[in-house]
Amino acid sequence: MSEPQTQGFEKVQQDAQAAVRLAEDAWKSQAPARLLAALQECDRVLQALPAELTVEGTGAPDPADALAKERALLWLWRGRFLVMADKTEVVVQGLHSLDQAIARLRPAGARDGAEEALAIAWMNRGSGLFRLESRDALAEAVRSYDQAIELLERAPERMCNALGASWMNRGVGLMNLDHVKDTKDATAARLADAAKSLERAISVLEPVASTQPAARHNLASTWSNLGMLRTRLEDPAGAMAAHRNAVDLFRPLVAAAGDAGETFELAARLFNLGQACGAAGDTAAALAAGREALALAGSVKTGDPQAVELMLRTRHALCVVLGGLLAAGRTKTADPERAARLAEAGDLVEDGLADLRARGQVSAGVAAAGTRLYEFGAWLYRTQQPQFLGEFLLEHLGEDKARAGIAAAAVQAARQAFVQRSFTDTTHGDMERVLDILQELGAVEARVKALGT
């Protein structure tokens, strides 16, 4: 090249390298404005690059292109930014960009850090495919993580977190690759493979978790996913142990960060632990984990539907445990322990539904969680305090068709219970009390009828 051509090339190369550094810094910050600026700079520089050399007859990128490395890294960063988007069409653009990066990094082999960049490209491709939420995309995501793992298994030790994350995500993908046509043996083999992937992730991440917060976070997530897998495999004790590990690993991360996102994540892990403890028959541990999860979720001042749904689901989980204890316990009304459980369950239901009503329009997931809580409340008052059943059903019925169906069923079951027992049964009080209850139930029936149920 002549001197002016050399100077022009160097300027273009420097611009490309500067754009890559800008992208790296933006990624570390995770600041939305910086991420957007870096994406725009990648686009600008890619468009400004001179025409790319291609392999004659195939049109494939030519590894001899002088700017092959810079092009690959610009495509890589562009793809990483875009697959984070919420919109499917943007994620698809990101996957295309990652494919462009892979096509340019593969021929480079192990030289100049290309294998590490290629592994990152495959990892992000898997992440983007996860977001498309289809079975075919999920299967392709697992294949992408396989490609990343093959490269990372021979990468330097500093890539252990990336390797562990790839094994974890491979396991998660396999866990969710359900298909109605799968045989029992095929499903068992796939879940066994998922378990091996998660266990491999743990073995990779454990040695570096104490010095790398990101690895500790991934290790906690791996244990959490293994806990959910063990629940599917009907191993309640194993699930409880896995979820406890996840909680223990995550606590220091919350203490260090202390932000709403980390607090919410710990609450979610505690919720999972509570569910596992309940399934394993450890009601005391289930209640302790659930109560802590609810307190943490409630401390996050956010209108995020996920946080609201978690609080409602946690309330319901606690109610299920308390309801089981009430149903199995003694019926003496003077029993203080029983009275405390009854009061706690009632408060969990009433406070949760009151908070939900105050929020107005909610997501489908939040509404469904509220319906489950209403259903438990109907059971609680019908079986434990029938004198409050009608009041509860009417107060929280609203215009909800699903709740109307629950209310109608509760009224019918309550009437049948009264018919089957003597009106003088002391568990229902005297005749006057029973008539008052029946009158309130009649008001519920009228309201349900008005809703067209």
Side-chain angles (χ1 to χ4, degrees):
M1 284 187 287
S2 65
E3 186 174 342
Q5 289 176 319
T6 301
Q7 290 176 347
F9 171 79
E10 289 177 350
K11 176 66 168 61
V12 170
Q13 187 178 49
Q14 288 169 3
D15 284 351
Q17 292 170 351
V20 169
R21 288 193 298 271
L22 181 69
E24 291 171 348
D25 291 341
W27 186 265
K28 290 174 184 176
S29 76
Q30 287 297 300
R34 294 183 65 180
L35 292 169
L36 178 59
L39 171 62
Q40 292 171 338
E41 184 63 5
C42 286
D43 281 340
R44 185 192 71 77
V45 175
L46 277 168
Q47 292 172 9
L49 291 179
E52 183 175 18
L53 292 179
T54 57
V55 177
E56 188 176 351
T58 67
D62 190 337
D65 184 275
L67 293 168
K69 177 183 176 182
E70 287 75 13
R71 290 182 201 276
L73 293 178
L74 288 167
W75 281 117
L76 170 59
W77 280 109
R78 184 178 191 273
R80 293 185 78 176
F81 294 139
L82 292 177
V83 294
M84 294 170 62
D86 293 326
K87 294 183 178 179
T88 299
E89 58 270 24
V90 180
V91 174
V92 171
Q93 290 178 31
L95 291 170
H96 171 74
S97 294
L98 292 169
D99 287 340
Q100 294 295 317
I102 290 168
R104 288 157 179 80
L105 289 167
R106 263 180 165 165
R111 73 174 188 268
D112 208 11
E115 274 201 347
E116 292 178 23
L118 181 58
I120 297 301
W122 280 116
M123 286 181 67
N124 281 271
R125 187 174 187 271
S127 176
L129 287 162
F130 267 0
R131 298 174 75 85
L132 296 185
E133 298 182 346
S134 76
R135 189 177 187 277
D136 288 344
L138 197 57
E140 184 63 17
V142 171
R143 190 182 78 82
S144 294
Y145 284 115
D146 282 337
Q147 295 290 324
I149 288 166
E150 183 179 345
L151 294 162
L152 291 167
E153 285 285 8
R154 58 177 182 260
E157 187 176 324
R158 57 187 168 81
M159 300 294 288
C160 280
N161 182 49
L163 175 59
S166 294
W167 276 114
M168 174 185 70
N169 286 316
R170 181 182 189 273
V172 172
L174 289 169
M175 282 171 60
N176 291 285
L177 264 177
D178 296 313
H179 195 277
V180 290
K181 293 183 179 179
D182 285 347
T183 65
K184 195 178 218 180
D185 288 345
T187 299
R190 176 171 52 79
L191 294 182
D193 193 7
K196 288 179 181 177
S197 291
L198 295 172
E199 288 161 1
R200 172 62 179 148
I202 289 169
S203 70
V204 169
L205 292 166
E206 276 185 331
V208 296
S210 61
T211 57
Q212 297 181 29
R216 188 181 185 95
H217 190 289
N218 281 329
L219 181 57
S221 295
T222 305
W223 276 115
S224 184
N225 282 299
L226 185 57
M228 288 184 275
L229 177 57
R230 286 174 175 174
T231 295
R232 287 187 63 179
L233 296 174
E234 299 181 353
D235 177 12
M240 182 171 65
H243 284 303
R244 194 174 297 284
N245 283 337
V247 168
D248 291 344
L249 281 161
F250 208 76
R251 282 192 192 280
L253 296 173
V254 174
D259 62 22
E262 301 285 6
T263 301
F264 169 76
E265 196 163 345
L266 177 57
R269 296 184 193 287
L270 281 161
F271 169 79
N272 290 335
L273 175 59
Q275 294 281 83
C277 291
D282 191 339
T283 55
L287 289 171
R291 287 163 181 157
E292 186 181 359
L294 184 60
L296 284 171
S299 71
V300 178
K301 303 298 182 183
T302 176
D304 184 344
Q306 286 187 316
V308 177
E309 184 176 347
L310 176 62
M311 285 191 286
L312 289 168
R313 292 181 64 197
T314 304
R315 287 178 179 277
H316 182 264
L318 284 167
C319 283
V320 169
V321 176
L322 291 167
L325 292 171
L326 287 167
R330 292 170 296 180
T331 58
K332 292 180 181 178
T333 56
D335 182 352
E337 188 175 36
R338 177 185 180 279
R341 289 169 178 165
L342 183 58
E344 183 179 4
D347 288 344
L348 285 165
V349 171
E350 297 280 2
D351 293 347
L353 292 177
D355 176 71
L356 185 56
R357 186 170 64 246
R359 293 180 182 276
Q361 191 71 24
V362 295
S363 69
V366 170
T371 298
R372 287 192 294 272
L373 197 58
Y374 183 78
E375 184 174 33
F376 177 86
W379 173 87
L380 180 71
Y381 286 114
R382 178 176 62 81
T383 60
Q384 307 297 319
Q385 294 178 310
Q387 67 272 28
F388 299 131
L389 176 61
E391 179 185 354
F392 168 80
L393 293 174
L394 283 175
E395 182 178 357
H396 300 290
L397 178 56
E399 304 293 323
D400 192 295
K401 297 283 187 178
R403 292 188 189 185
I406 292 168
V411 169
Q412 182 180 9
R415 286 189 181 282
Q416 289 175 347
F418 282 127
V419 168
Q420 292 168 1
R421 298 178 185 181
S422 168
F423 279 173
T424 59
D425 188 328
T426 57
T427 60
H428 291 307
D430 55 23
M431 173 68 80
E432 186 177 346
R433 173 67 63 85
V434 170
L435 292 175
D436 287 342
I437 293 173
L438 291 173
Q439 185 175 4
E440 288 184 353
L441 295 181
V444 175
E445 286 179 315
R447 177 65 183 139
V448 168
K449 186 176 180 181
L451 288 174
T453 301

Short mmCIF file of all heavy atoms in Angstrom, two decimals, residues 255-307:
data_model
loop_
_atom_site.label_atom_id
_atom_site.label_comp_id
_atom_site.label_asym_id
_atom_site.label_seq_id
_atom_site.Cartn_x
_atom_site.Cartn_y
_atom_site.Cartn_z
N ALA A 255 -25.75 -9.03 50.56
CA ALA A 255 -25.15 -8.16 51.58
C ALA A 255 -24.16 -7.18 50.95
O ALA A 255 -24.06 -6.03 51.36
CB ALA A 255 -24.45 -9.01 52.64
N ALA A 256 -23.45 -7.66 49.92
CA ALA A 256 -22.45 -6.81 49.27
C ALA A 256 -23.09 -5.79 48.35
O ALA A 256 -22.69 -4.62 48.31
CB ALA A 256 -21.46 -7.67 48.47
N ALA A 257 -24.11 -6.21 47.59
CA ALA A 257 -24.73 -5.31 46.61
C ALA A 257 -25.85 -4.50 47.24
O ALA A 257 -25.90 -3.28 47.13
CB ALA A 257 -25.26 -6.12 45.43
N GLY A 258 -26.77 -5.20 47.90
CA GLY A 258 -27.85 -4.53 48.61
C GLY A 258 -28.87 -3.82 47.73
O GLY A 258 -29.63 -2.99 48.22
N ASP A 259 -28.91 -4.14 46.43
CA ASP A 259 -29.88 -3.44 45.58
C ASP A 259 -31.15 -4.27 45.45
O ASP A 259 -31.24 -5.41 45.89
CB ASP A 259 -29.28 -3.12 44.21
CG ASP A 259 -28.88 -4.37 43.42
OD1 ASP A 259 -29.41 -5.44 43.70
OD2 ASP A 259 -28.05 -4.24 42.52
N ALA A 260 -32.16 -3.66 44.83
CA ALA A 260 -33.48 -4.30 44.74
C ALA A 260 -33.42 -5.59 43.95
O ALA A 260 -34.07 -6.57 44.30
CB ALA A 260 -34.47 -3.32 44.11
N GLY A 261 -32.64 -5.60 42.86
CA GLY A 261 -32.57 -6.80 42.03
C GLY A 261 -32.01 -7.99 42.78
O GLY A 261 -32.55 -9.10 42.70
N GLU A 262 -30.93 -7.78 43.52
CA GLU A 262 -30.32 -8.87 44.27
C GLU A 262 -31.25 -9.33 45.41
O GLU A 262 -31.36 -10.52 45.70
CB GLU A 262 -28.97 -8.42 44.84
CG GLU A 262 -27.97 -7.97 43.79
CD GLU A 262 -27.35 -9.13 43.03
OE1 GLU A 262 -27.78 -10.26 43.21
OE2 GLU A 262 -26.43 -8.89 42.23
N THR A 263 -31.91 -8.38 46.06
CA THR A 263 -32.82 -8.72 47.14
C THR A 263 -33.98 -9.55 46.63
O THR A 263 -34.39 -10.55 47.24
CB THR A 263 -33.36 -7.45 47.81
OG1 THR A 263 -32.26 -6.68 48.32
CG2 THR A 263 -34.30 -7.78 48.96
N PHE A 264 -34.52 -9.15 45.48
CA PHE A 264 -35.62 -9.92 44.88
C PHE A 264 -35.16 -11.33 44.54
O PHE A 264 -35.88 -12.31 44.75
CB PHE A 264 -36.12 -9.21 43.62
CG PHE A 264 -37.06 -10.06 42.80
CD1 PHE A 264 -38.37 -10.24 43.19
CD2 PHE A 264 -36.62 -10.70 41.65
CE1 PHE A 264 -39.24 -11.03 42.44
CE2 PHE A 264 -37.46 -11.50 40.90
CZ PHE A 264 -38.79 -11.66 41.30
N GLU A 265 -33.94 -11.45 44.02
CA GLU A 265 -33.44 -12.78 43.63
C GLU A 265 -33.27 -13.67 44.85
O GLU A 265 -33.57 -14.87 44.80
CB GLU A 265 -32.12 -12.65 42.86
CG GLU A 265 -31.77 -13.91 42.12
CD GLU A 265 -30.72 -13.70 41.04
OE1 GLU A 265 -30.46 -12.54 40.67
OE2 GLU A 265 -30.16 -14.71 40.60
N LEU A 266 -32.79 -13.12 45.96
CA LEU A 266 -32.69 -13.92 47.17
C LEU A 266 -34.07 -14.35 47.64
O LEU A 266 -34.27 -15.49 48.08
CB LEU A 266 -31.96 -13.14 48.27
CG LEU A 266 -31.85 -13.85 49.64
CD1 LEU A 266 -31.15 -15.20 49.50
CD2 LEU A 266 -31.12 -12.97 50.64
N ALA A 267 -35.03 -13.45 47.55
CA ALA A 267 -36.41 -13.80 47.94
C ALA A 267 -36.93 -14.96 47.09
O ALA A 267 -37.57 -15.88 47.60
CB ALA A 267 -37.32 -12.58 47.78
N ALA A 268 -36.63 -14.93 45.79
CA ALA A 268 -37.07 -16.00 44.90
C ALA A 268 -36.42 -17.33 45.27
O ALA A 268 -37.06 -18.39 45.24
CB ALA A 268 -36.75 -15.64 43.45
N ARG A 269 -35.14 -17.28 45.64
CA ARG A 269 -34.45 -18.51 46.03
C ARG A 269 -35.00 -19.05 47.35
O ARG A 269 -35.09 -20.26 47.55
CB ARG A 269 -32.95 -18.26 46.11
CG ARG A 269 -32.34 -17.87 44.77
CD ARG A 269 -30.85 -17.71 44.83
NE ARG A 269 -30.34 -17.06 43.63
CZ ARG A 269 -30.26 -17.61 42.43
NH1 ARG A 269 -30.66 -18.85 42.27
NH2 ARG A 269 -29.79 -16.94 41.39
N LEU A 270 -35.33 -18.16 48.26
CA LEU A 270 -35.94 -18.58 49.52
C LEU A 270 -37.32 -19.19 49.29
O LEU A 270 -37.71 -20.15 49.96
CB LEU A 270 -36.03 -17.40 50.49
CG LEU A 270 -34.72 -17.05 51.20
CD1 LEU A 270 -34.77 -15.63 51.75
CD2 LEU A 270 -34.45 -18.03 52.33
N PHE A 271 -38.06 -18.62 48.35
CA PHE A 271 -39.36 -19.19 47.99
C PHE A 271 -39.18 -20.63 47.52
O PHE A 271 -39.91 -21.55 47.93
CB PHE A 271 -40.01 -18.35 46.90
CG PHE A 271 -41.23 -19.00 46.28
CD1 PHE A 271 -42.45 -18.96 46.93
CD2 PHE A 271 -41.14 -19.65 45.06
CE1 PHE A 271 -43.58 -19.57 46.37
CE2 PHE A 271 -42.25 -20.26 44.49
CZ PHE A 271 -43.47 -20.21 45.15
N ASN A 272 -38.20 -20.85 46.62
CA ASN A 272 -37.93 -22.20 46.13
C ASN A 272 -37.53 -23.14 47.27
O ASN A 272 -37.95 -24.30 47.31
CB ASN A 272 -36.82 -22.17 45.09
CG ASN A 272 -37.26 -21.52 43.79
OD1 ASN A 272 -38.45 -21.51 43.46
ND2 ASN A 272 -36.31 -20.97 43.05
N LEU A 273 -36.71 -22.62 48.20
CA LEU A 273 -36.31 -23.43 49.35
C LEU A 273 -37.52 -23.81 50.18
O LEU A 273 -37.66 -24.96 50.62
CB LEU A 273 -35.29 -22.67 50.20
CG LEU A 273 -34.87 -23.34 51.52
CD1 LEU A 273 -34.26 -24.71 51.27
CD2 LEU A 273 -33.90 -22.44 52.29
N GLY A 274 -38.39 -22.85 50.42
CA GLY A 274 -39.60 -23.13 51.19
C GLY A 274 -40.45 -24.21 50.55
O GLY A 274 -40.96 -25.11 51.23
N GLN A 275 -40.61 -24.13 49.23
CA GLN A 275 -41.38 -25.15 48.52
C GLN A 275 -40.76 -26.53 48.67
O GLN A 275 -41.45 -27.53 48.89
CB GLN A 275 -41.45 -24.78 47.03
CG GLN A 275 -42.22 -23.51 46.72
CD GLN A 275 -43.72 -23.74 46.74
OE1 GLN A 275 -44.35 -23.73 47.80
NE2 GLN A 275 -44.30 -23.95 45.58
N ALA A 276 -39.42 -26.57 48.54
CA ALA A 276 -38.72 -27.86 48.65
C ALA A 276 -38.83 -28.41 50.07
O ALA A 276 -39.03 -29.62 50.25
CB ALA A 276 -37.25 -27.68 48.27
N CYS A 277 -38.70 -27.55 51.06
CA CYS A 277 -38.82 -28.01 52.46
C CYS A 277 -40.22 -28.55 52.72
O CYS A 277 -40.38 -29.57 53.41
CB CYS A 277 -38.50 -26.86 53.42
SG CYS A 277 -36.78 -26.35 53.43
N GLY A 278 -41.22 -27.88 52.20
CA GLY A 278 -42.59 -28.36 52.37
C GLY A 278 -42.78 -29.72 51.75
O GLY A 278 -43.40 -30.62 52.35
N ALA A 279 -42.23 -29.91 50.54
CA ALA A 279 -42.36 -31.20 49.85
C ALA A 279 -41.62 -32.29 50.60
O ALA A 279 -42.03 -33.46 50.58
CB ALA A 279 -41.83 -31.09 48.43
N ALA A 280 -40.54 -31.92 51.30
CA ALA A 280 -39.76 -32.90 52.06
C ALA A 280 -40.35 -33.15 53.44
O ALA A 280 -39.83 -33.99 54.19
CB ALA A 280 -38.31 -32.42 52.18
N GLY A 281 -41.40 -32.44 53.81
CA GLY A 281 -42.06 -32.65 55.09
C GLY A 281 -41.49 -31.85 56.24
O GLY A 281 -41.90 -32.04 57.39
N ASP A 282 -40.57 -30.93 55.96
CA ASP A 282 -39.98 -30.09 57.02
C ASP A 282 -40.78 -28.79 57.08
O ASP A 282 -40.39 -27.77 56.51
CB ASP A 282 -38.51 -29.82 56.73
CG ASP A 282 -37.78 -29.19 57.91
OD1 ASP A 282 -38.46 -28.62 58.78
OD2 ASP A 282 -36.54 -29.26 57.95
N THR A 283 -41.90 -28.82 57.79
CA THR A 283 -42.79 -27.66 57.80
C THR A 283 -42.19 -26.45 58.50
O THR A 283 -42.42 -25.31 58.09
CB THR A 283 -44.13 -28.02 58.47
OG1 THR A 283 -43.89 -28.55 59.78
CG2 THR A 283 -44.89 -29.05 57.64
N ALA A 284 -41.40 -26.69 59.53
CA ALA A 284 -40.78 -25.56 60.25
C ALA A 284 -39.83 -24.80 59.33
O ALA A 284 -39.84 -23.57 59.28
CB ALA A 284 -40.04 -26.07 61.49
N ALA A 285 -39.01 -25.55 58.58
CA ALA A 285 -38.09 -24.91 57.65
C ALA A 285 -38.84 -24.25 56.51
O ALA A 285 -38.44 -23.18 56.02
CB ALA A 285 -37.10 -25.94 57.10
N ALA A 286 -39.93 -24.86 56.06
CA ALA A 286 -40.73 -24.28 54.98
C ALA A 286 -41.32 -22.95 55.40
O ALA A 286 -41.31 -21.97 54.64
CB ALA A 286 -41.85 -25.24 54.58
N LEU A 287 -41.82 -22.88 56.63
CA LEU A 287 -42.39 -21.63 57.13
C LEU A 287 -41.31 -20.57 57.31
O LEU A 287 -41.51 -19.39 56.96
CB LEU A 287 -43.12 -21.87 58.45
CG LEU A 287 -44.43 -22.67 58.36
CD1 LEU A 287 -44.93 -23.02 59.76
CD2 LEU A 287 -45.48 -21.87 57.60
N ALA A 288 -40.17 -20.95 57.83
CA ALA A 288 -39.08 -19.99 58.05
C ALA A 288 -38.62 -19.39 56.73
O ALA A 288 -38.44 -18.17 56.60
CB ALA A 288 -37.91 -20.66 58.77
N ALA A 289 -38.42 -20.25 55.72
CA ALA A 289 -37.96 -19.76 54.41
C ALA A 289 -39.02 -18.90 53.75
O ALA A 289 -38.71 -17.84 53.17
CB ALA A 289 -37.60 -20.94 53.51
N GLY A 290 -40.26 -19.32 53.83
CA GLY A 290 -41.34 -18.56 53.22
C GLY A 290 -41.53 -17.19 53.86
O GLY A 290 -41.73 -16.19 53.18
N ARG A 291 -41.46 -17.15 55.18
CA ARG A 291 -41.61 -15.86 55.88
C ARG A 291 -40.49 -14.90 55.52
O ARG A 291 -40.72 -13.70 55.32
CB ARG A 291 -41.66 -16.10 57.39
CG ARG A 291 -42.96 -16.72 57.89
CD ARG A 291 -42.80 -17.30 59.28
NE ARG A 291 -44.04 -17.92 59.76
CZ ARG A 291 -44.08 -18.86 60.70
NH1 ARG A 291 -42.95 -19.29 61.26
NH2 ARG A 291 -45.25 -19.37 61.08
N GLU A 292 -39.26 -15.42 55.44
CA GLU A 292 -38.14 -14.55 55.07
C GLU A 292 -38.28 -14.09 53.62
O GLU A 292 -38.01 -12.92 53.31
CB GLU A 292 -36.81 -15.27 55.27
CG GLU A 292 -35.62 -14.35 55.04
CD GLU A 292 -34.28 -15.04 55.21
OE1 GLU A 292 -34.25 -16.24 55.53
OE2 GLU A 292 -33.25 -14.36 54.99
N ALA A 293 -38.72 -14.99 52.75
CA ALA A 293 -38.91 -14.62 51.35
C ALA A 293 -39.94 -13.50 51.22
O ALA A 293 -39.75 -12.54 50.47
CB ALA A 293 -39.35 -15.84 50.53
N LEU A 294 -41.03 -13.61 51.95
CA LEU A 294 -42.09 -12.60 51.90
C LEU A 294 -41.59 -11.26 52.42
O LEU A 294 -41.88 -10.20 51.84
CB LEU A 294 -43.30 -13.07 52.70
CG LEU A 294 -44.53 -12.17 52.65
CD1 LEU A 294 -45.02 -12.00 51.22
CD2 LEU A 294 -45.65 -12.73 53.53
N ALA A 295 -40.84 -11.29 53.52
CA ALA A 295 -40.31 -10.04 54.08
C ALA A 295 -39.36 -9.36 53.11
O ALA A 295 -39.41 -8.13 52.92
CB ALA A 295 -39.60 -10.34 55.40
N LEU A 296 -38.49 -10.15 52.45
CA LEU A 296 -37.55 -9.57 51.49
C LEU A 296 -38.27 -9.04 50.26
O LEU A 296 -37.98 -7.93 49.79
CB LEU A 296 -36.52 -10.62 51.07
CG LEU A 296 -35.43 -10.94 52.09
CD1 LEU A 296 -34.62 -12.15 51.62
CD2 LEU A 296 -34.50 -9.74 52.29
N ALA A 297 -39.20 -9.81 49.73
CA ALA A 297 -39.94 -9.37 48.54
C ALA A 297 -40.73 -8.11 48.85
O ALA A 297 -40.83 -7.20 48.02
CB ALA A 297 -40.86 -10.47 48.05
N GLY A 298 -41.28 -8.03 50.06
CA GLY A 298 -42.04 -6.85 50.45
C GLY A 298 -41.19 -5.62 50.66
O GLY A 298 -41.67 -4.49 50.59
N SER A 299 -39.88 -5.83 50.90
CA SER A 299 -38.99 -4.69 51.12
C SER A 299 -38.54 -4.05 49.81
O SER A 299 -37.97 -2.97 49.81
CB SER A 299 -37.74 -5.14 51.90
OG SER A 299 -36.89 -5.94 51.10
N VAL A 300 -38.79 -4.74 48.70
CA VAL A 300 -38.42 -4.20 47.39
C VAL A 300 -39.54 -3.29 46.91
O VAL A 300 -40.62 -3.75 46.55
CB VAL A 300 -38.19 -5.34 46.37
CG1 VAL A 300 -37.85 -4.76 45.00
CG2 VAL A 300 -37.09 -6.26 46.86
N LYS A 301 -39.31 -2.01 46.91
CA LYS A 301 -40.32 -1.04 46.52
C LYS A 301 -40.39 -0.97 45.00
O LYS A 301 -39.70 -0.19 44.36
CB LYS A 301 -40.00 0.34 47.09
CG LYS A 301 -39.87 0.36 48.61
CD LYS A 301 -41.17 -0.04 49.30
CE LYS A 301 -41.05 0.02 50.82
NZ LYS A 301 -42.27 -0.44 51.50
N THR A 302 -41.22 -1.81 44.43
CA THR A 302 -41.30 -1.86 42.98
C THR A 302 -42.68 -2.31 42.55
O THR A 302 -43.34 -3.05 43.25
CB THR A 302 -40.23 -2.81 42.39
OG1 THR A 302 -40.41 -2.90 40.98
CG2 THR A 302 -40.36 -4.20 42.98
N GLY A 303 -43.10 -1.85 41.39
CA GLY A 303 -44.36 -2.29 40.82
C GLY A 303 -44.14 -3.40 39.80
O GLY A 303 -45.05 -3.73 39.04
N ASP A 304 -42.94 -3.95 39.77
CA ASP A 304 -42.61 -5.01 38.82
C ASP A 304 -43.58 -6.18 39.02
O ASP A 304 -43.69 -6.72 40.12
CB ASP A 304 -41.17 -5.46 39.06
CG ASP A 304 -40.71 -6.52 38.04
OD1 ASP A 304 -41.58 -7.10 37.37
OD2 ASP A 304 -39.50 -6.75 37.94
N PRO A 305 -44.29 -6.59 37.96
CA PRO A 305 -45.23 -7.70 38.11
C PRO A 305 -44.59 -8.96 38.67
O PRO A 305 -45.25 -9.72 39.40
CB PRO A 305 -45.73 -7.93 36.67
CG PRO A 305 -45.54 -6.62 35.99
CD PRO A 305 -44.31 -6.02 36.60
N GLN A 306 -43.32 -9.21 38.36
CA GLN A 306 -42.66 -10.40 38.88
C GLN A 306 -42.56 -10.35 40.40
O GLN A 306 -42.75 -11.37 41.08
CB GLN A 306 -41.26 -10.55 38.27
CG GLN A 306 -41.25 -11.01 36.83
CD GLN A 306 -39.85 -11.28 36.33
OE1 GLN A 306 -38.92 -10.52 36.58
NE2 GLN A 306 -39.68 -12.37 35.62
N ALA A 307 -42.24 -9.16 40.95
CA ALA A 307 -42.13 -9.02 42.40
C ALA A 307 -43.49 -9.18 43.06
O ALA A 307 -43.62 -9.84 44.10
CB ALA A 307 -41.51 -7.67 42.75
#
